[in-house]
Amino acid sequence: MPRNLCLFDLDHTLLPIDSDHAFGEFMVRIGWADGETFRRGNDAYYAQYLAGRLDLGEYIDFSTAPWRHRPAHEQRAVQQRFLDEVVRPVLHPQALALVREHQARGDLVAIVTATNEFVTAPIAAAFGVDHLLAVQLERDASGTITGRIHGVPSYREGKVTRVDQWLAGLGTGWSQFERTSFYSDSPNDLPLLERASDPVATNPSPVLESLARERGWRILKLFE
């Protein structure tokens, strides 16, 4: 087992965009969602997230509605298009290099994100990260996504729970690592930042940057 654990948030941390909100915009652009109505809802949910009061279950039902009943081959094609057309153009060399640096050290590396697995699995692969802890989507007996969350969502305190569960599944735990790093931009991630031995406020929001300065946490701005 590696000596150190390194965890990354995704949106506005490794990426300069919010992939969840951007995927909603992409649904509008390709005609899978009604432009005016869906965009209004997408923007409203994003504002709730920034304010720390998002009803994640309600949002998952809303955000998956445009695509979850479409054939699997169409879903896969849209995942690839979103990766190629929206995500790859904004992948920063600095972010990729940071991930590679921790991997080269032999750290156990994972992305822990409140964005769902459908949107983020291809992005984690683009970063070369094998371990993704994203919001899991419930599927019915036929494999169709229901619009509900499966298990504990990786959001706020749930991120700590999901990391605990993941590590237990690997036969290890926090105490087995000499150092644990977590990179995040958002005060929504305070529970996991406070759990890490090396919290890094990365491209932080004004609220998180102020808190990081008060607590003496490292501040990293990848996209300047």
Side-chain angles (χ1 to χ4, degrees):
M1 183 59 62
R3 292 187 305 171
N4 298 321
L5 173 66
C6 178
L7 308 172
F8 291 99
D9 176 48
L10 181 62
D11 300 321
H12 294 296
T13 298
L14 289 177
L15 291 177
I17 62 171
D18 184 284
S19 60
D20 221 350
H21 184 267
F23 190 76
E25 287 291 309
F26 188 68
M27 291 294 93
V28 172
R29 177 155 71 85
I30 66 174
W32 280 21
D34 175 78
E36 181 179 352
T37 302
F38 189 84
R39 181 173 284 123
R40 188 186 311 118
N42 198 36
D43 289 347
Y45 282 117
Y46 185 51
Q48 291 173 18
Y49 169 78
L50 294 176
R53 51 183 180 83
L54 175 65
D55 183 327
L56 189 59
E58 185 180 290
Y59 174 64
I60 288 294
D61 183 47
F62 166 83
S63 63
T64 62
W67 58 265
R68 64 182 185 244
H69 295 297
R70 291 181 177 269
H73 72 277
E74 291 187 10
Q75 293 181 15
R76 290 192 296 270
V78 158
Q79 281 179 304
Q80 189 62 48
R81 280 192 61 188
F82 178 68
L83 180 67
D84 292 340
E85 297 176 23
V86 179
V87 177
R88 289 195 189 280
V90 298
L91 287 179
H92 280 243
Q94 308 95 296
L96 290 164
L98 178 62
V99 173
R100 299 290 182 271
E101 178 185 339
H102 280 279
Q103 291 172 327
R105 292 177 187 170
D107 296 354
L108 178 59
V109 175
I111 291 173
V112 189
T113 175
T115 299
N116 72 73
E117 59 188 341
F118 181 84
V119 172
T120 55
I123 301 173
F127 273 99
V129 175
D130 295 331
H131 299 285
L132 171 67
L133 283 66
V135 172
Q136 298 172 301
L137 301 174
E138 180 187 82
R139 288 167 170 78
D140 64 19
S142 69
T144 300
I145 290 169
T146 66
R148 294 186 291 272
I149 295 170
H150 174 72
V152 176
S154 44
Y155 177 55
R156 298 177 68 91
E157 297 83 359
K159 284 195 173 185
V160 179
T161 302
R162 287 289 304 282
V163 172
D164 289 344
Q165 293 172 341
W166 168 62
L167 291 176
L170 296 176
T172 189
W174 291 87
S175 63
Q176 302 304 305
F177 299 97
E178 293 181 9
R179 307 191 72 84
T180 56
S181 304
F182 178 46
Y183 294 80
S184 176
D185 71 294
S186 173
N188 282 313
D189 286 338
L190 273 176
L192 193 50
L193 285 163
E194 292 171 340
R195 186 69 178 80
S197 65
D198 297 336
V200 185
T202 310
N203 318 312
S205 70
V207 171
L208 182 59
E209 181 166 358
S210 176
L211 183 61
R213 293 189 186 282
E214 289 175 10
R215 298 191 181 186
W217 292 350
R218 181 183 169 204
I219 296 173
L220 175 64
K221 298 190 178 181
L222 285 176
F223 306 136
E224 288 186 347

